[in-house]
């Protein structure tokens, strides 16, 4: 009888172990699936001026950020701590940046191990002389690291997404969007993102007013690209950093598109003096397509 009891106990323990393993396996699969399906675009904080999607962080870190003149261009818009996080954690699946008058927000798909790496490899180096502070709000724990200039670098992790910003307001707005599963993007932005190539290392959406694209026709009429969002794919080609974009074809302005392309290059060079850009333009299927590339020989 004792032998049978022993066998029954062994069978029950084995069954429990098997069920636990299955639950753990499928539970882990569910978390991975939710992480993979999370759309970082939908987490964008309200009133953004530009959105930069880094689809391939490893390529961005290895190919693009290793070029000094390109790194300087990105560093002029993106806080250095973010670029260091990318360079030291290339295994991050994907990440986004959104740009606002109040500051820049970084969004990354990151599990607990990556978050620990970010804290150990980057944050402790940047904020080693300051002790972080934590606050809980709406079930989310925010960590704030005091920085020079009376600034605080804040971040949180929630449902496999790591979000950071120097703006507490922006950080809390993103957390609210994530908790409520809302989406602050406009219909125009949602449609425009469909035109981007998700296989490109970088996708950029930017408000046209920031680029101030305008030209004058022969009759002194001012033709301007305004009150809309523009999009471009950014990639590396033969040592060049390039962008690919398009505008709807307008027959009355067909002679102005070349000037618009030159104006775009000029505006980018004014904003990023580290870059010198040559461009090409062609028309197809009712659109004008623009391609611009940096000139490596010009780079410092």
């Amino acid at each position: 009888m004792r032998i049978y009891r022993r066998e029954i106990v062994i069978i029950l323990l084995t069954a429990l172990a098997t069920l636990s393993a299955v639950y753990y396996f499928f539970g882990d699969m569910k978390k991975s699936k939710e992480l993979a399906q999370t759309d970082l675009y939908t987490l964008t904080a309200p009133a953004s001026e530009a959105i930069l999607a880094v689809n391939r962080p490893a390529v961005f870190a290895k190919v693009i950020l290793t070029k000094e003149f390109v790194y300087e261009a990105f560093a002029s818009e993106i806080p250095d701590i973010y670029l260091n996080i990318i360079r030291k954690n290339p295994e991050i699946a994907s990440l986004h940046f959104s740009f606002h008058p109040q500051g820049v927000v970084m969004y990354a798909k990151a599990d607990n191990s990556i978050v620990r790496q970010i804290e150990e490899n980057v944050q402790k180096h940047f904020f080693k002389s300051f002790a972080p502070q934590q606050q809980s709000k709406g079930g989310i724990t925010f960590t704030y690291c005091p920085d020079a200039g009376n600034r605080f670098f804040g971040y949180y992790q929630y449902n496999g997404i790591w979000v950071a910003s120097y703006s507490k307001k922006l950080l809390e707005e993103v957390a609210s969007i994530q908790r409520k599963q809302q989406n602050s993007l406009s219909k125009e932005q949602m449609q425009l993102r469909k035109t981007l190539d998700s296989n490109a290392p970088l996708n950029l959406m930017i408000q046209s007013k920031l680029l101030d694209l305008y030209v004058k026709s022969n009759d002194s009429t001012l033709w301007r690209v305004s009150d809309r969002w523009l999009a471009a794919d950014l990639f590396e080609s033969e040592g060049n950093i390039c962008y690919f974009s398009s505008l709807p074809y307008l027959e009355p302005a067909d002679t102005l598109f070349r000037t618009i392309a030159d104006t775009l290059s000029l505006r980018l060079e004014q904003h990023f003096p580290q870059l010198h850009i040559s461009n090409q333009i062609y028309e197809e299927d009712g659109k004008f397509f623009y391609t611009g590339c940096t000139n490596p020989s010009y780079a410092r």
Side-chain angles (χ1 to χ4, degrees):
M1 188 66 178
R2 291 181 178 177
I3 295 176
Y4 291 128
R5 288 180 179 176
R6 182 181 176 185
E7 290 178 350
I8 291 172
V9 170
I10 292 174
I11 292 173
L12 288 174
L13 290 175
T14 303
L16 287 172
T18 302
L19 289 173
S20 299
V22 170
Y23 177 80
Y24 178 83
F25 177 74
F26 283 101
D28 191 57
M29 282 186 62
K30 182 180 179 181
K31 289 181 181 178
S32 299
K33 185 177 181 181
E34 290 175 351
L35 179 61
Q37 290 180 344
T38 301
D39 185 356
L40 294 180
Y41 276 104
T42 63
L43 301 182
T44 304
S48 61
E49 295 180 329
I51 301 172
L52 179 68
V54 184
N55 303 316
R56 298 160 65 187
V59 174
F60 183 53
K62 184 177 181 180
V63 178
I64 297 179
L65 292 184
T66 54
K67 301 177 185 297
E68 182 180 355
F69 72 105
V70 179
Y71 183 91
E72 291 176 358
F74 279 102
S76 67
E77 297 293 328
I78 300 175
D80 192 49
I81 186 172
Y82 295 149
L83 299 180
N84 272 273
I85 288 172
I86 298 173
R87 289 200 293 188
K88 294 184 178 182
N89 299 275
E91 66 274 17
I92 293 176
S94 64
L95 56 93
H96 281 205
F97 294 101
S98 63
F99 302 82
H100 310 257
Q102 308 98 308
V104 182
V105 183
M106 178 178 177
Y107 317 74
K109 294 184 178 182
D111 57 21
N112 291 334
S113 63
I114 292 180
V115 173
R116 284 194 295 270
Q117 289 181 45
I118 293 174
E119 292 175 341
E120 291 293 326
N121 300 336
V122 181
Q123 287 173 211
K124 284 188 176 180
H125 170 73
F126 272 81
F127 311 112
K128 54 187 176 183
S129 59
F130 300 104
Q133 304 171 12
Q134 289 190 330
Q135 297 178 5
S136 293
K137 185 176 182 180
I140 294 179
T141 300
F142 299 85
T143 300
Y144 295 98
C145 301
D147 198 1
N150 199 28
R151 298 196 306 165
F152 286 82
F153 177 78
Y155 67 93
Y156 75 84
Q157 185 200 30
Y158 183 71
N159 286 350
I161 304 298
W162 185 84
V163 186
S165 179
Y166 276 98
S167 168
K168 181 179 180 181
K169 179 182 178 182
L170 289 173
L171 196 64
E172 291 183 349
E173 285 180 336
V174 176
S176 178
I177 289 173
Q178 193 174 3
R179 281 196 306 264
K180 298 176 182 178
Q181 297 184 339
Q182 296 174 330
N183 181 0
S184 67
L185 293 186
S186 65
K187 290 183 179 180
E188 179 190 7
Q189 290 172 298
M190 294 299 290
Q191 289 295 325
L192 189 61
R193 60 168 291 194
K194 295 179 182 178
T195 67
L196 295 168
D197 182 3
S198 59
N199 292 315
L202 302 169
N203 301 139
L204 174 66
M205 293 201 303
I206 185 170
Q207 289 187 12
S208 57
K209 66 180 181 181
L210 298 181
L211 298 175
D212 195 21
L213 298 178
Y214 68 90
V215 293
K216 288 184 178 180
S217 60
N218 293 333
D219 61 358
S220 297
T221 300
L222 190 66
W223 195 84
R224 182 187 298 271
V225 180
S226 61
D227 299 325
R228 60 173 295 164
W229 281 79
L230 303 175
D233 298 317
L234 307 180
F235 57 95
E236 189 270 344
S237 176
E238 298 180 353
N240 301 320
I241 305 303
C242 305
Y243 62 84
F244 178 78
S245 185
S246 66
L247 283 175
Y249 173 74
L250 299 174
E251 186 173 353
D254 59 354
T255 60
L256 302 178
F257 280 98
R258 165 53 63 183
T259 308
I260 286 290
D262 294 337
T263 304
L264 177 58
S265 298
L266 178 62
R267 294 289 184 270
L268 291 173
E269 289 181 10
Q270 288 173 340
H271 200 70
F272 302 104
Q274 305 89 349
L275 308 180
H276 178 67
I277 300 171
S278 58
N279 62 71
Q280 293 183 337
I281 180 174
Y282 67 93
E283 186 270 335
E284 182 180 322
D285 297 330
K287 284 188 176 182
F288 266 96
F289 294 91
Y290 297 85
T291 300
C293 290
T294 59
N295 185 346
S297 62
Y298 180 85
R300 291 185 284 110

